[in-house]
């Protein structure tokens, strides 16, 4: 593992990026990615396991889609429908989403958890499961019977990258991130904590880990807050998929036993910032690395009357198929951005709204600005387009991420 690099964070000078870090960067976790056979005809990795050394606090967020997939329902049951508890491992397969598969799908999901618990020596309810891939087809049991024992045997501290590869479907690259920080809270002086994770999209599957000491309930509150500022602000599809799942596991190995972090303390604020940093990085990766996406679009909205208005405008711009197609074609017709702001049902006076693309003004006082199209295209580059909207109506702000969309 390479030496951590400092992150520019005004409130946390010690926050550092762990190069090539991921879901096993935090102490107390191992992972693996193996070929189980969900993809026929090739040997690609398609079964991932993230395991804690011992059962540890865990929090989870699941899809709001009414047609939730079988693994989502089973994981909810294992957490007793309160979305937090103690778990030993998260098992994820790709190649088959096990969605819209009825009771047969539930049986397979339960069987996969049972196989993992038998190998790890824990209760079945301490294994959470997730799936991604083709919907509507009942997954065969045989790949789990082959892959789960192998994944458990191969789980290691350096297995995080293979696990991230094993959950890929349409994405081109594994999505991983990790940071560390030294706590300035008096109760944890001298302690260094790590937050890491892996992710995939457009069906959002995320596993986050930390060696900070958290209770299950506090882990849930931190995860919910972090997701609302990151994963919930990624626009890939029209809504939540059948399989969306996000897990946070906390080993507590970074501090002495018996000292869980309390809400409202400096330690909790530090952890929340580190979790937000990792979540934001993974969210950007999801938005920029899916089918047909060649460029990340970042939408900053500032000056909104309240947070709800900021969300409405940012979501409207990021959702706009015309805006995304305009970016894909590198057309300079930014009127579509203004139009999407106008139908967002937010409170503002149009004469006070300003819009900039890559720092180039395109709207002032309710009218499009004359601008150097060639300069704007040069500023745009190939990797990311940043759209900044100032509504001039208040102090609320937000950021959304999406990808460009080549015209069909």
């Amino acid at each position: 593992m390479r030496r951590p690099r400092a992150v520019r964070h005004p409130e946390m000078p010690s926050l550092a990026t762990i190069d090539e870090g991921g879901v096993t960067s935090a102490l107390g976790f191992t992972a693996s990615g193996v070929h189980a056979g969900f993809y026929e005809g090739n040997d690609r990795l398609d079964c991932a396991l993230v395991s804690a050394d011992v059962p540890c606090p865990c929090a989870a967020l699941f899809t709001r889609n009414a047609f939730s997939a079988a693994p989502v329902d089973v994981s909810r049951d294992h957490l007793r429908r309160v979305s937090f508890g103690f778990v030993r491992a998260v098992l994820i397969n790709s190649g088959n989403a096990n969605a819209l598969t009825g009771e047969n799908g539930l049986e397979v999901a339960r069987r996969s958890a049972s196989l993992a618990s038998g190998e790890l020596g824990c209760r079945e309810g301490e294994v959470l499961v997730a799936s991604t891939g083709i919907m509507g087809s009942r997954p065969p049991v045989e790949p789990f019977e082959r892959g789960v024992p192998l994944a458990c045997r191969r789980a290691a501290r350096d297995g995080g990258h293979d696990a991230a590869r094993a959950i890929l479907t349409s994405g081109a690259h594994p999505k991983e991130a990790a940071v560390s920080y030294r706590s300035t809270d008096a109760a944890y002086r001298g302690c260094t904590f790590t937050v890491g994770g892996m992710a995939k999209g457009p069906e959002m599957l995320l596993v986050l880990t930390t060696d900070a000491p958290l209770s299950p309930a506090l882990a849930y509150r931190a995860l919910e807050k972090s997701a609302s500022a990151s994963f919930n602000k990624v626009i890939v599809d029209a809504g939540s998929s059948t399989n969306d799942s996000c897990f946070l596991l906390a080993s507590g190995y970074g501090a002495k036993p018996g000292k869980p972090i309390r809400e409202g303390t400096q330690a909790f604020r530090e952890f929340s910032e580190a979790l937000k940093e990792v979540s934001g990085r993974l969210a950007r990766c999801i938005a920029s690395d899916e089918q047909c996406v060649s460029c990340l679009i970042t939408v900053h909205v500032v000056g909104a009357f309240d947070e709800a208005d900021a969300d409405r405008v940012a979501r409207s711009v990021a959702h706009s198929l015309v805006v995304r197609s305009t970016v894909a074609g590198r057309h300079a017709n930014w009127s579509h951005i203004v139009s999407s702001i106008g139908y967002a049902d937010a409170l503002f006076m149009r004469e006070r709204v300003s819009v900039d693309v890559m720092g180039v003004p395109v709207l002032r006082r309710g009218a499009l600005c004359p601008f150097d199209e060639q300069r704007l295209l040069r500023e745009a580059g190939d990797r990311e387009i940043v759209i900044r909207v100032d509504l001039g109506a208040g102090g609320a702000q937000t950021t959304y991420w999406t990808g460009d969309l080549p015209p069909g």
Side-chain angles (χ1 to χ4, degrees):
M1 187 178 296
R2 296 180 181 177
R3 185 177 180 180
R5 294 181 292 107
V7 178
R8 291 183 180 178
H9 196 295
E11 297 179 14
M12 290 182 64
S14 70
L15 190 66
T17 295
I18 299 175
D19 287 336
E20 300 181 7
V23 75
T24 55
S25 293
L27 298 175
F29 298 97
T30 57
S32 61
V34 301
H35 171 66
F38 292 101
Y39 291 100
E40 297 181 0
N42 60 56
D43 58 357
R44 66 181 286 181
L45 303 182
D46 55 14
C47 182
L49 179 80
V50 177
S51 177
D53 293 350
V54 296
C56 69
C58 173
L61 300 173
F62 298 106
T63 182
R64 296 178 181 177
N65 194 305
F67 290 96
S68 54
V72 171
D73 294 340
V74 170
S75 291
R76 279 175 171 153
D77 287 343
H78 286 184
L79 291 174
R80 300 181 180 181
R81 299 275 163 172
V82 294
S83 293
F84 56 84
F86 286 84
V87 306
R88 178 71 190 279
V90 178
L91 176 69
I92 305 175
N93 74 278
S94 62
N96 189 309
N98 196 3
L100 310 178
T101 51
E103 186 60 36
N104 287 335
L106 289 170
E107 291 176 2
V108 173
R110 295 187 189 109
R111 174 61 175 158
S112 68
S114 177
L115 286 166
S117 67
E119 293 289 332
L120 296 171
C122 64
R123 295 186 298 105
E124 182 177 328
E126 292 174 335
V127 177
L128 304 182
V129 291
S131 300
T132 181
I134 298 172
M135 297 170 58
S137 174
R138 178 183 183 271
V141 176
E142 291 77 15
F144 284 115
E145 293 176 338
R146 289 192 299 267
V148 171
L150 183 61
C152 292
R153 289 196 301 271
R154 291 188 178 177
R157 279 299 308 277
D158 62 357
H161 185 62
D162 281 348
R165 288 173 56 207
I167 65 175
L168 279 176
T169 51
S170 60
H173 307 288
K175 301 164 186 62
E176 304 170 87
V179 300
S180 65
Y181 64 95
R182 294 187 306 277
S183 179
T184 60
D185 189 300
Y188 301 95
R189 186 169 288 114
C191 293
T192 296
F193 297 125
T194 298
V195 179
M198 67 179 189
K200 77 158 297 288
E203 292 170 329
M204 285 200 194
L205 297 184
L206 307 111
V207 182
L208 301 161
T209 57
T210 183
D211 46 27
L214 304 172
S215 69
L218 191 59
Y220 178 78
R221 288 194 284 276
L223 180 61
E224 189 174 40
K225 182 178 180 180
S226 176
S228 69
S230 56
F231 309 127
N232 291 349
K233 296 191 175 182
V234 173
I235 304 298
V236 176
D237 205 344
S240 183
S241 86
T242 57
N243 292 65
D244 291 352
S245 301
C246 179
F247 308 100
L248 170 62
L249 283 70
S251 70
Y253 279 20
K256 296 178 181 179
K259 295 177 64 177
I261 290 173
R262 291 180 291 112
E263 191 168 11
T265 62
Q266 174 67 8
F268 183 66
R269 287 189 290 272
E270 291 169 341
F271 170 75
S272 297
E273 287 298 323
L275 181 63
K276 181 181 177 182
E277 179 73 22
V278 171
S279 299
R281 295 184 189 185
L282 293 175
R284 286 171 56 91
C285 289
I286 290 171
S288 63
D289 187 39
E290 297 309 324
Q291 294 173 339
C292 300
V293 170
S294 62
C295 176
L296 173 68
I297 302 174
T298 298
V299 182
H300 293 304
V301 173
V302 301
F305 178 74
D306 56 20
E307 291 184 5
D309 272 1
D311 267 2
R312 290 187 189 101
V313 172
R315 179 174 287 273
S316 182
V317 174
H319 255 303
S320 171
L321 300 182
V322 182
V323 170
R324 294 165 70 182
S325 296
T326 295
V327 171
R330 296 300 190 272
H331 303 305
N333 186 2
W334 303 111
S335 60
H336 301 303
I337 297 174
V338 181
S339 177
S340 64
I341 296 169
Y343 59 67
D345 194 25
L347 182 65
F348 59 83
M349 296 178 63
R350 64 185 186 183
E351 293 80 7
R352 295 183 179 178
V353 176
S354 62
V355 177
D356 296 78
V357 178
M358 300 301 293
V360 178
V362 298
L363 182 79
R364 294 292 187 273
R365 297 184 180 88
L368 290 175
C369 301
F371 59 86
D372 184 339
E373 181 175 337
Q374 293 305 313
R375 177 200 163 194
L376 193 149
L377 293 177
R378 285 195 304 271
E379 294 287 343
D382 297 323
R383 303 297 297 275
E384 181 179 6
I385 297 291
V386 179
I387 299 170
R388 185 179 187 275
V389 179
D390 187 342
L391 296 177
Q397 58 184 307
T398 193
T399 301
Y400 272 65
W401 298 276
T402 189
D404 62 356
L405 188 66

